[in-house]
Every structure is written in C-alpha cells, then in structure tokens.
Amino acid sequence: AQKITQTQPGMFVQEKEAVTLDCTYDTSDQSYGLFWYKQPSSGEMIFLIYQGSYDEQNATEGRYSLNFQKARKSANLVISASQLGDSAMYFCAMREVNQAGTALIFGKGTTLSVSS
Amino acid sequence: DTEVTQTPKHLVMGMTNKKSLKCEQHMGHRAMYWYKQKAKKPPELMFVYSYEKLSINESVPSRFSPECPNSSLLNLHLHALQPEDSALYLCASSQRDRGYTFGSGTRLTVV
C-alpha cells in the first residue's frame, strides 16, 4: 500500500519569505506521480505542481518548486516570496495504482498561515 | 473548458430525504472520482469511474449511490443519510493519470 506523510500540521511565515512544506512517501512502484494541491477555506482543490518519478529535473511552476529527492522518498514543496493569499491548507498526494484502477491518495495536510 | 462543475454548492437535507449531487466536465477526461472530506482532514476516496464503468468502490455505505450516465456527467445519489455524513463532497476528473482536476465541492449538511 502506498502512503503519504506530512508531518507539519501548521506552518507560519511572514510575507516575502520562502517556506518549505514537507512530504515523504512510501511506495514499491517504480513509476509514480506526486502532486501538491492548495485548498483555501472556500474548499476548492487547486493544483499547484506535479513531479513524475522518472522526471530528471525538479518541477517548477512560478513561485512553486518541488524539491524531489527520490532516494529519500521526499517531495517537499517550496513556496518563494510568500503572499497573504498563500494562506491555505496544502496537501501532498500520490497517484495510487491497483488492479481496479488509479486514484489520488492524500497526506494529512499542512495549514500555512502567512502574516504581514 | 478546463473546469469541473459541481452543483449544488450547498445542500441541507433531512435524514429521510433523497437528494443528488451532480458533477460535470467537458475536458474529455475518461476517469471521474468522488471524494468525501471532513473539516481539517484530507479528502477520502469514495468511488472511481473509468470509461463510465465503476472501477473502485471504497466500501462506501449503500446510502451513497453513484451513477455515471455519460462520459461528462457523474452523479451521487443520497438516501437516508446520517448526521456524520455531513462533509464537503469533491468531484474530480483525470486523463492519463497526470492531470487531476477538482470541482469546488458541495458542502452537505444532514440534519
């Protein structure tokens, strides 16, 4: 079974600072995909960034980058130059594959609070 | 159109009511999902439809009944729910196991 671990229930950062949200995963699959989603209080799940297990370079999307360390099975999200609008819940997720099909499974999430 | 649309956004229902949640996408995605999310918890997978066929049912109680009438539409029929079923219900769709797009959810309250 696959598993996603996010050990930081809450993180606090000031505007314009960088912040790293931790995510480790456990899988025996050779091919897998890792995702980060942002969920503001409105409830919508907003896709941020994707990293495939065979991707040689770390993924980047604007202010978001993924620090992918395959040997350590970690996929930390780095947000540069935090903004007040970044305050939200952040979920790390992995694509789970079994005989029946595929779906995303989620870590417990990290609540990020950005202050001015 | 790169959206997943869920209706209604909010729903209050009694324990004896029957209601339905609707999810629609026009991105040509062939897999669609229902997730249940309690406050401050991660989404939990309920059902997966692949090519309009139910492929995964995560041991969900029969008071939740999914339906996929066509490749763009996913319904979740609700009957005789309990107050503990109150949650945010999220629909998602995907193509090629990479792009998972979520709707904004239906906030369900069972009274």
Side-chain angles (χ1 to χ4, degrees), chain B residues 40-64:
Chain B
K40 301 193 184 302
K41 298 290 186 183
E44 296 178 348
L45 183 66
M46 299 176 72
F47 302 104
V48 179
Y49 272 84
S50 179
Y51 291 87
E52 301 165 48
K53 286 188 169 46
L54 183 65
S55 61
I56 296 177
N57 176 344
E58 290 289 331
S59 302
V60 178
S62 60
R63 57 186 184 268
F64 295 91

Side-chain angles (χ1 to χ4, degrees), chain A residues 1-3 25-32 73 94-95:
Chain A
Q2 297 171 320
K3 185 178 173 183
Y25 60 92
D26 186 21
T27 180
S28 56
D29 293 341
Q30 296 300 309
S31 176
Y32 51 89
K73 293 189 175 179
M94 172 183 281
R95 182 184 67 233

Side-chain angles (χ1 to χ4, degrees), chain A residues 35 37 39-47 50 55 89 91 95-98 100-109, chain B residues 31 33 35 37 40-45 48 50 55-56 58 88 90 94 96-105 107:
Chain A
F35 303 74
Y37 283 84
Q39 188 177 40
S41 57
S42 59
E44 184 182 3
M45 293 288 281
I46 302 169
F47 167 75
Y50 168 83
D55 293 342
M89 189 89 158
F91 290 101
R95 182 184 67 233
E96 180 177 57
V97 180
N98 58 40
T102 67
L104 282 183
I105 57 167
F106 291 85
K108 291 186 176 181
Chain B
Y33 311 80
Y35 284 85
Q37 186 180 23
K40 301 193 184 302
K41 298 290 186 183
E44 296 178 348
L45 183 66
V48 179
S50 179
S55 61
I56 296 177
E58 290 289 331
L88 178 68
L90 291 163
S94 73
R96 297 199 184 97
D97 295 330
R98 176 167 179 158
Y100 290 81
T101 304
F102 283 81
S104 55
R107 290 196 185 275

Side-chain angles (χ1 to χ4, degrees), chain B residues 17-108:
Chain B
N17 291 159
K18 287 185 181 180
K19 296 286 185 184
S20 297
L21 309 185
K22 179 181 172 182
C23 173
E24 198 163 6
Q25 57 90 13
H26 296 286
M27 295 176 281
H29 289 178
R30 304 317 299 264
M32 296 186 76
Y33 311 80
W34 280 115
Y35 284 85
K36 173 184 177 180
Q37 186 180 23
K38 301 286 271 186
K40 301 193 184 302
K41 298 290 186 183
E44 296 178 348
L45 183 66
M46 299 176 72
F47 302 104
V48 179
Y49 272 84
S50 179
Y51 291 87
E52 301 165 48
K53 286 188 169 46
L54 183 65
S55 61
I56 296 177
N57 176 344
E58 290 289 331
S59 302
V60 178
S62 60
R63 57 186 184 268
F64 295 91
S65 175
E67 179 196 21
C68 189
N70 58 58
S71 60
S72 300
L73 188 57
L74 185 65
N75 298 319
L76 186 62
H77 302 298
L78 315 173
H79 173 56
L81 294 193
Q82 303 297 310
E84 58 264 29
D85 296 322
S86 298
L88 178 68
Y89 288 84
L90 291 163
C91 174
S93 68
S94 73
Q95 185 73 347
R96 297 199 184 97
D97 295 330
R98 176 167 179 158
Y100 290 81
T101 304
F102 283 81
S104 55
T106 295
R107 290 196 185 275
L108 173 67

Side-chain angles (χ1 to χ4, degrees), chain A residues 36-111:
Chain A
W36 277 93
Y37 283 84
K38 171 185 178 182
Q39 188 177 40
S41 57
S42 59
E44 184 182 3
M45 293 288 281
I46 302 169
F47 167 75
L48 296 178
I49 199 165
Y50 168 83
Q51 181 83 42
S53 57
Y54 291 121
D55 293 342
E56 293 186 353
Q57 304 228 342
N58 286 343
T60 61
E61 293 282 351
R63 294 187 298 112
Y64 305 107
S65 60
L66 202 151
N67 184 358
F68 182 47
Q69 298 188 40
K70 196 170 181 178
R72 297 180 61 184
K73 293 189 175 179
S74 74
N76 298 338
L77 177 70
V78 180
I79 305 175
S80 63
S82 297
Q83 301 171 356
L84 294 177
D86 293 335
S87 294
M89 189 89 158
Y90 288 79
F91 290 101
C92 180
M94 172 183 281
R95 182 184 67 233
E96 180 177 57
V97 180
N98 58 40
Q99 289 181 336
T102 67
L104 282 183
I105 57 167
F106 291 85
K108 291 186 176 181
T110 296
T111 301

